Amino acid sequence: MNPAINFCSQCAAPVRFEVPPGDSLKRHVCGQCGSIHYQNPKLVVGTLPVWEDRVLLCLRAIEPRRDKWTLPAGFMENNETMAEAALRETAEEACARVELGELYTLISVPHISQVHALYRARLLDVDFSPGAETLEVRLFPEQEIPWKEIAFRTIALSLRHFFEDRQAGNFGFHAGVVPPPP
Amino acid sequence: MNPAINFCSQCAAPVRFEVPPGDSLKRHVCGQCGSIHYQNPKLVVGTLPVWEDRVLLCLRAIEPRRDKWTLPAGFMENNETMAEAALRETAEEACARVELGELYTLISVPHISQVHALYRARLLDVDFSPGAETLEVRLFPEQEIPWKEIAFRTIALSLRHFFEDRQAGNFGFHAGVVPPPP
């Protein structure tokens, strides 16, 4: 998920991959100006939008997992809050307007250096439509969720929590980890 | 918090700052190989370690906020979970061993493109000591917390939640936002 770093983005000199003084991990360090180019996990933020008894899913138009279903979510941008990112992604991917609820799931995906965060959300209307990275947007009742065609395990896990919590009548907050695929 | 990008880290050619096709935000785009160099928010993860009625704080040895008190926390690294990051930072900054509890606060700091996450934690012993980026580690009862000398607003906010929740006898999960300073 992190592209290789060959050259310094400050001065264009070649970088070395080595442990800087006082550090404990290898970093890309410029051999000329000394800049250290850190790489850190990315936050993927989105919503679990609900209309009556149904959940909104998006059919992905892009890789990875083109033609699989997902919740509206994407990479958080600089200078926004997590809640703003969730609303923006819901608008971009599903052209949907929601009232944001509580943060619902927060799942580390260490093998791809990501953390996935999903908010519960209430659709304000059903005038949604596919955004540029979406082929189709549809509302699914629980019994029609295409479980074998869900794009990402964090999404399937969040949906399972949602239907279990709805059945129990109590929506908690769920933190978790998705390990590498077997 | 994000250094300028002048050159492509893939091929060393100069980059342009422009909106790539199909995007809506300006990115650093290589004029030669076309690589897009995204910049995204960083997660800062740590713990709120407790021993009996006292909370562990670290006096910072480095900028920003040298000589101010903070909870043990730092940038999450690639290929770790949030919980692993919290334990690692607690060991690095305070040489402290804790039993990790639940995620306690998750606070967006959009003007510096960070999200700060703190876990409740129970110190397993009092054999803590300053790590390389810490001048002093000390346990504080509530009435001695140096409120005017806390390094970051997310830390002060998390400590306030903790003492209020402890008083109320109920520790929830707190999501929030810290706006730019006035």
Side-chain angles (χ1 to χ4, degrees), chain A residues 97-112:
Chain A
R97 290 149 295 283
V98 297
E99 178 185 71
L100 209 63
E102 299 292 309
L103 181 64
Y104 186 54
T105 59
L106 186 70
I107 304 172
S108 295
V109 195
H111 62 286
I112 54 170

Side-chain angles (χ1 to χ4, degrees), chain B residues 15-178:
Chain B
V15 296
R16 295 190 297 255
F17 193 56
E18 64 186 21
V19 179
D23 204 335
S24 57
L25 293 175
K26 285 189 174 181
R27 316 284 182 183
H28 294 90
V29 182
C30 179
Q32 180 169 284
C33 76
S35 292
I36 304 173
H37 301 284
Y38 295 95
Q39 293 183 303
N40 299 90
K42 292 185 196 302
L43 270 161
V44 173
V45 183
T47 62
L48 195 162
V50 174
W51 179 262
E52 297 169 350
D53 70 332
R54 291 173 292 170
V55 170
L56 179 147
L57 296 179
C58 299
L59 189 64
R60 287 176 63 81
I62 56 169
E63 295 295 349
R65 305 286 194 276
R66 191 188 142 93
D67 293 317
K68 304 290 184 188
W69 292 92
T70 190
L71 292 164
F75 289 111
M76 186 173 171
E77 299 282 2
N78 276 355
N79 300 123
E80 67 183 356
T81 66
M82 289 180 66
E84 288 167 349
L87 290 171
R88 178 183 51 74
E89 287 291 343
T90 305
E92 285 180 9
E93 308 229 332
C95 304
R97 287 149 298 281
V98 297
E99 178 184 69
L100 209 64
E102 298 292 308
L103 181 65
Y104 185 55
T105 60
L106 186 68
I107 305 172
S108 295
V109 195
H111 62 284
I112 54 170
S113 297
Q114 293 182 2
V115 174
H116 291 194
L118 291 166
Y119 288 77
R120 290 172 61 213
R122 189 177 66 83
L123 276 166
L124 296 177
D125 56 63
V126 291
D127 295 332
F128 48 74
S129 61
E133 301 183 350
T134 303
L135 295 170
E136 183 184 347
V137 184
R138 200 197 297 179
L139 291 172
F140 290 89
E142 180 177 2
Q143 63 273 20
E144 290 176 17
I145 294 280
W147 291 107
K148 291 184 191 295
E149 301 295 322
I150 299 295
F152 305 106
R153 288 179 294 158
T154 52
I155 301 297
L157 181 55
S158 298
L159 289 169
R160 283 200 297 274
H161 281 308
F162 176 78
F163 293 118
E164 287 171 13
D165 285 357
R166 190 173 69 174
Q167 178 77 22
N170 181 30
F171 293 97
F173 164 69
H174 301 272
V177 176
V178 162

